[in-house]
Amino acid sequence: MESLSDTVWDVVLAGTGLAQSLLALSLSRSGKKVLHVDKNEYYGGLEAALSLQEAEIWAEAADEGAGSSPYRHATIKNLEREAPVQEADGALKLGFSRAYSLSLSPQLIYTRSNLLPVLVSSKVYRQLEFLAVGSWWIYENKDVTEGGQDGEGDARQGGLRRIPGGREDVFADKSIDLRSTRSLMRFLKLAADPETHMSILEEWGNRAFPDFLESRLSIPPRLQAPLLALTSSPHPPTETLTSYALPRIHRHLTSIGMFGPGFGAVVPKWGGLAEIAQVACRAGAVGGGVYVLKRGFESAEMPDLQASGRNSVRFDKDTGLSTLCLQGGEQIRSHWVVGSIWDLPLQIDQNPGDRMQTNYVARSITIVSGSLAQLFPSPAEGAPPPAGAVVVYPTGTLEPQSTDQTPGSSGLGLPPVYLIIHSSDTGECPAGQCVIYACSFHPTNADSHQILQVAVAKLVASVREDPPATVLWCMHYDQRYNLPATTEDYEANIRCDHFMNDHVLQLPDVVPGMALEDDVLKHVRAAYRRIVGDDDVAFMLFDDREGTGDDIDEN
Amino acid sequence: MTSRVSTGTRPGARFAQFKLVLLGESAVGKSSLVLRFVKDQFDDYRESTIGAAFLTQTISLDDTTTVKFEIWDTAGQERYKSLAPMYYRNANCAVVVYDITQASSLDKAKAWVKELQRQANENIIIALAGNKADLVAEHPDKRAITTSDAEAYAREAGLLFFETSAKTAENVRELFTAIARKLPLEQAGARNMRSNPRQGVDLRPEAPGTQGGGACNC
């Protein structure tokens, strides 16, 4: 094999996050010479999955990585180490490091996601396993539960209520009075019918979603909370616009039942989106792509490059080739260079003003002893056993008692807190344990970590388990994010304005929210279009490779 | 592990799928071993594999048990050592290959075994294959690593061991069959067959068995 610098590459991909990996997959049959590098020694970039040991190393780097990574304030607490359990065994104790595959990208994938058909048409689904996300739960405080008709619920500190999965569930829910049932039915019908959305959004689009529910449909506040939860909105209700909420509820409702009864979303086994990224990279390698880990670009943080700024990628107009320097000094030449903002040789956060507008999401990963089986009831007859569950703490349920001192309280309340629970069926932890992924788009971050901790603690306390479930290990961190692109011009979104070179493309980060958004694949497709030319009809449409087909179906 | 076990159509029939990764120094014959196993072919002048290969092969252990291997071959990219981590992630078994006429290739193999034991699945099945036995059969003086030395190392490290020849097919099938027999069929079977043969979600819109799962691209 020639050395990296002897080859003239068609495409150099930087970083093995989901977006770059999907691009590698899409190019794997194009005949193009692809070099795929990653500065990390692991695959997955921001979507990686980590063992306990890897998580320790990751957290150390993330904590001090300001400017070169989207993370900050990463801390790990090993509660077992602090208070070792004597004589306990099995699931009550933290397992060995490699028994865990903790996902930095636990997002659920709606069955209507544009990604799933592409995984099938590109044939990589054969290497993936998907598990159902079953129930959605909402946390309700005591006063609210008592306000309902089932006042007997033991709600010392509140409790979980399952969000109805559809019409049948709404009818079956005895705590909803008849009038409200009718209102809800009207809403469900309307939300499922996209043709009516246009006219609704014209009038209500820029108004708060609760306002729409109450004024237009007379849905009482208690029943608004579950609907708001289904939007996965990062904001408190008053800041969640109808234009944001309605399409998301539509997605949620129409996804249910698509691949089987009772569920509308899936998670990949073995570490969330990390697994999809790796499978895509493997397909890239089988297609001839060259993979090199621990080799990023010489970053613009190097003092001599800092001065030259824009010159970290040299572009030759005559040949159309960009020249870059890999870590270690190797010069490489390529027609196209594609990466995330964290992988391209850019200077990030140079301008202190940038920091002010930066949004962060507080995230945590918690390993719990106990299977929390109560959260994973079979959602319907014949449904695959769920391995994922969602718990939402609406605005107002986690506020400290003295509400006047709430940070960032301008009468709006804290943003909701979202928890995705992965059972051990996901392969992310040993049997008898589960992993709780929490996030909140908390604007001030001062005590957002504590709020996530409270949310997890309340969940663990509200689930009855024998012996009682306990937290074994947790990691907290902040992740920077940009709001999803508002424009549908995906070609413009992948332009990288930092270079005077339109052969450098920048794939936006996957938004660290609850669900994987469709724009990830749309950006990948836009990049594919730029690279192969306008004709993208063959995008991700592959035959099985010779000798790899399903000669025996396991059914 | 990516093992999948399910009951077949016949009563008592079992089908299991396992991920296998092939590791070893360049030019020890990794791709040739796979080619022999999967297609029963051999090419004397096979050039260094361009890119990486992925092949599958199914073998029957007995009347009721079928094992399908997904074989990942890092061929051609050994220098960067970057494919191996994603290949052995969740792999159920590994074949580490050396060339019995090249002393240094066993050292490389030992390094791979160490890495697998440190990084891969805790209960990964590892087989050591000393390839190019045909060269030694013709010219015994070419041998650089004695069978007993390699065998002793394999025993100590808990590996299956075979001397193979991709060229003559010696021990190739035996190697893969031995791995299949050692894989935790019962365990995986017991876990998966209890409730639902397919615990996961099938993304294909068509029902299984209908067109679409077919592999014929001729």
Side-chain angles (χ1 to χ4, degrees):
Chain A
M1 173 180 281
E2 298 173 315
S3 79
L4 299 179
S5 52
D6 289 341
T7 307
V8 174
W9 301 97
D10 290 310
V11 187
V12 174
L13 299 172
T16 53
L18 179 67
Q20 297 99 307
S21 303
L22 289 173
L23 185 57
L25 166 64
S26 74
L27 293 168
S28 64
R29 313 285 181 104
S30 64
K32 299 214 178 287
K33 279 190 181 156
V34 177
L35 171 63
H36 200 163
V37 298
D38 195 314
K39 61 186 176 185
N40 298 315
E41 58 180 322
Y42 52 85
Y43 284 90
L46 306 190
E47 282 78 57
L50 309 167
S51 68
L52 292 183
Q53 238 166 42
E54 288 165 335
E56 303 246 353
I57 298 164
W58 178 89
E60 229 164 85
D63 203 30
E64 60 197 29
S68 61
S69 94
Y71 303 111
R72 63 175 192 191
H73 301 154
T75 54
I76 289 180
K77 255 196 220 156
N78 186 333
L79 287 102
E80 194 196 48
R81 208 178 284 159
E82 284 165 17
V85 189
Q86 298 297 327
E87 293 175 49
D89 58 358
L92 296 177
K93 284 199 333 200
L94 206 54
F96 63 100
S97 166
R98 275 179 284 155
Y100 297 89
S101 185
L102 305 173
S103 182
L104 298 177
S105 54
Q107 283 97 329
L108 55 85
I109 304 171
Y110 275 110
T111 55
R112 292 266 171 203
S113 158
N114 59 356
L115 180 63
L116 298 181
V118 150
L119 297 178
V120 173
S121 71
S122 65
K123 302 293 188 283
V124 291
Y125 76 99
R126 291 194 195 287
Q127 269 101 54
L128 291 162
E129 282 172 85
F130 286 92
L131 302 167
V133 176
S135 303
W136 287 57
W137 305 86
I138 190 167
Y139 191 87
E140 290 183 337
N141 275 336
K142 192 180 174 184
D143 51 330
V144 184
T145 27
E146 279 184 351
Q149 296 188 346
D150 57 343
E152 50 171 337
D154 94 302
R156 222 170 346 121
Q157 47 152 196
L160 298 176
R161 189 157 75 99
R162 192 168 166 267
I163 299 177
R167 285 150 179 263
E168 297 81 1
D169 283 2
V170 173
F171 278 121
D173 192 332
K174 295 278 179 284
S175 74
I176 307 173
D177 63 67
L178 205 62
R179 219 184 116 211
S180 301
T181 303
R182 271 201 303 272
S183 306
L184 268 179
M185 286 302 157
R186 263 175 70 208
F187 171 75
L188 292 180
K189 191 168 166 226
L190 171 157
D193 176 12
E195 295 195 356
T196 63
H197 291 191
M198 193 83 91
S199 59
I200 292 171
L201 292 182
E202 221 165 83
E203 189 184 348
W204 297 92
N206 286 323
R207 293 161 74 174
F209 189 52
D211 188 14
F212 166 72
L213 293 176
E214 184 130 31
S215 312
R216 164 85 192 257
L217 295 164
S218 333
I219 292 176
R222 174 171 175 260
L223 296 180
Q224 289 172 15
L227 295 176
L228 276 155
L230 297 183
T231 68
S232 316
S233 169
H235 306 297
T238 45
E239 286 178 84
T240 300
L241 301 181
T242 308
S243 59
Y244 179 92
L246 201 53
R248 280 174 172 76
I249 290 188
H250 173 256
R251 174 176 64 180
H252 183 93
L253 294 174
T254 55
S255 286
I256 293 172
M258 179 143 170
F259 289 120
F263 70 97
V266 293
V267 285
K269 201 169 174 173
W270 311 115
L273 302 180
E275 188 64 9
I276 299 179
Q278 284 218 12
V279 164
C281 285
R282 273 190 241 148
V286 171
V290 172
Y291 279 79
V292 187
L293 293 177
K294 279 195 280 187
R295 201 87 62 90
F297 292 128
E298 204 67 272
S299 103
E301 277 166 297
M302 301 284 292
D304 52 328
L305 281 173
Q306 216 169 68
S308 56
R310 300 183 160 215
N311 293 333
S312 49
V313 180
R314 275 203 322 275
F315 183 66
D316 184 328
K317 271 206 177 86
D318 298 330
T319 56
L321 286 175
S322 299
T323 306
L324 302 93
C325 195
L326 287 178
Q327 284 167 347
E330 229 169 334
Q331 297 266 335
I332 51 159
R333 289 166 298 158
S334 178
H335 290 282
W336 292 93
V337 179
V338 192
S340 79
I341 191 171
W342 312 106
D343 298 297
L344 292 170
L346 296 171
Q347 190 65 29
I348 299 156
D349 259 356
Q350 269 304 286
N351 183 357
D354 279 357
R355 226 176 255 279
M356 306 293 289
Q357 304 151 7
T358 301
N359 294 302
Y360 278 91
V361 51
R363 305 184 73 178
S364 75
I365 304 176
T366 308
I367 301 167
V368 172
S369 77
S371 60
L372 308 188
Q374 222 175 302
L375 297 175
F376 303 94
S378 180
E381 179 123 3
V390 176
V391 173
V392 183
Y393 290 81
T395 295
T397 48
L398 287 170
E399 261 82 349
Q401 290 306 312
S402 51
T403 36
D404 13 302
Q405 282 303 310
T406 307
S409 76
S410 44
L412 300 171
L414 299 174
V417 171
Y418 295 96
L419 271 51
I420 304 184
I421 300 95
H422 288 191
S423 82
S424 62
D425 286 345
T426 59
E428 290 166 24
C429 64
Q433 301 183 0
C434 59
V435 186
I436 304 175
Y437 298 94
C439 70
S440 176
F441 295 74
H442 198 308
T444 60
N445 111 292
D447 52 5
S448 53
H449 288 185
Q450 215 216 316
I451 286 165
L452 295 188
Q453 211 174 320
V454 171
V456 169
K458 282 191 179 210
L459 171 66
V460 171
S462 68
V463 174
R464 274 192 215 92
E465 202 125 325
D466 185 31
T470 56
V471 171
L472 298 174
W473 184 99
C474 68
M475 174 162 87
H476 285 263
Y477 60 100
D478 287 348
Q479 183 171 351
R480 191 174 139 143
Y481 76 103
N482 299 310
L483 289 169
T486 46
T487 153
E488 304 235 317
D489 186 351
Y490 298 99
E491 305 254 341
N493 292 341
I494 60 169
R495 211 157 32 217
C496 186
D497 296 327
H498 293 80
F499 302 103
M500 310 295 281
N501 177 348
D502 60 6
H503 284 226
V504 179
L505 306 177
Q506 182 192 315
L507 293 168
D509 291 347
V510 175
V511 177
M514 278 284 289
L516 178 70
E517 300 294 338
D518 280 353
D519 56 2
V520 176
L521 190 68
K522 288 177 178 169
H523 288 135
V524 170
R525 188 163 190 156
Y528 175 85
R529 237 179 350 248
R530 288 293 307 279
I531 292 166
V532 303
D534 277 337
D535 185 15
D536 68 348
V537 285
F539 180 68
M540 299 277 199
L541 279 178
F542 305 142
D543 288 330
D544 274 309
R545 284 188 184 274
E546 191 197 344
T548 63
D550 236 2
D551 23 31
I552 292 184
D553 201 292
E554 51 226 85
N555 284 294
Chain B
M1 280 179 288
T2 53
S3 64
R4 293 179 217 178
V5 178
S6 65
T7 47
T9 40
R10 274 174 301 152
R14 288 183 306 177
F15 174 91
Q17 184 166 325
F18 294 101
K19 181 175 168 188
L20 183 148
V21 57
L22 220 66
L23 298 168
E25 201 178 13
S26 292
V28 294
K30 294 187 294 296
S31 304
S32 298
L33 274 178
V34 183
L35 211 61
R36 175 59 79 189
F37 175 54
V38 173
K39 299 187 177 166
D40 203 17
Q41 291 170 356
F42 182 78
D43 180 355
D44 248 323
Y45 301 98
R46 198 173 162 78
E47 287 182 33
S48 182
T49 320
I50 305 298
F54 169 61
L55 290 165
T56 60
Q57 174 69 308
T58 305
I59 56 174
S60 299
L61 283 186
D62 54 50
D63 284 350
T64 54
T65 311
T66 313
V67 171
K68 178 172 174 181
F69 285 112
E70 284 179 22
I71 305 167
W72 295 88
D73 178 4
T74 62
Q77 289 194 35
E78 290 80 11
R79 194 193 318 177
Y80 307 113
K81 291 196 75 175
S82 297
L83 286 185
M86 72 170 152
Y87 281 6
Y88 61 64
R89 177 180 153 84
N90 296 326
N92 308 91
C93 39
V95 176
V96 180
V97 188
Y98 70 95
D99 173 350
I100 60 173
T101 68
Q102 299 290 334
S104 65
S105 69
L106 181 62
D107 296 334
K108 209 42 175 289
K110 288 179 179 174
W112 277 120
V113 170
K114 250 193 196 149
E115 178 159 347
L116 285 170
Q117 289 174 337
R118 212 179 54 236
Q119 304 283 359
N121 269 333
E122 183 196 21
N123 37 16
I124 188 168
I125 309 267
I126 306 174
L128 182 69
N131 195 33
K132 305 198 183 177
D134 53 282
L135 291 183
V136 175
E138 288 163 33
H139 311 278
D141 54 312
K142 278 197 173 175
R143 179 184 280 277
I145 296 159
T146 66
T147 309
S148 57
D149 279 1
E151 210 164 20
Y153 160 70
R155 199 177 314 117
E156 195 184 310
L159 320 174
L160 292 166
F161 172 68
F162 288 90
E163 282 193 349
T164 57
S165 166
K167 187 170 181 175
T168 66
E170 177 190 345
N171 271 344
V172 174
R173 213 171 167 82
E174 288 79 355
L175 166 74
F176 288 93
T177 308
I179 294 169
R181 292 203 182 281
K182 224 180 155 187
L183 284 163
L185 272 169
E186 300 304 331
Q187 234 182 339
R191 197 190 62 210
N192 280 359
M193 284 189 289
R194 189 186 49 218
S195 48
N196 194 337
R198 279 198 89 102
Q199 176 196 34
V201 174
D202 195 339
L203 298 187
R204 289 171 299 180
E206 316 96 276
T210 59
Q211 202 246 342
C216 185
N217 3 293
C218 30

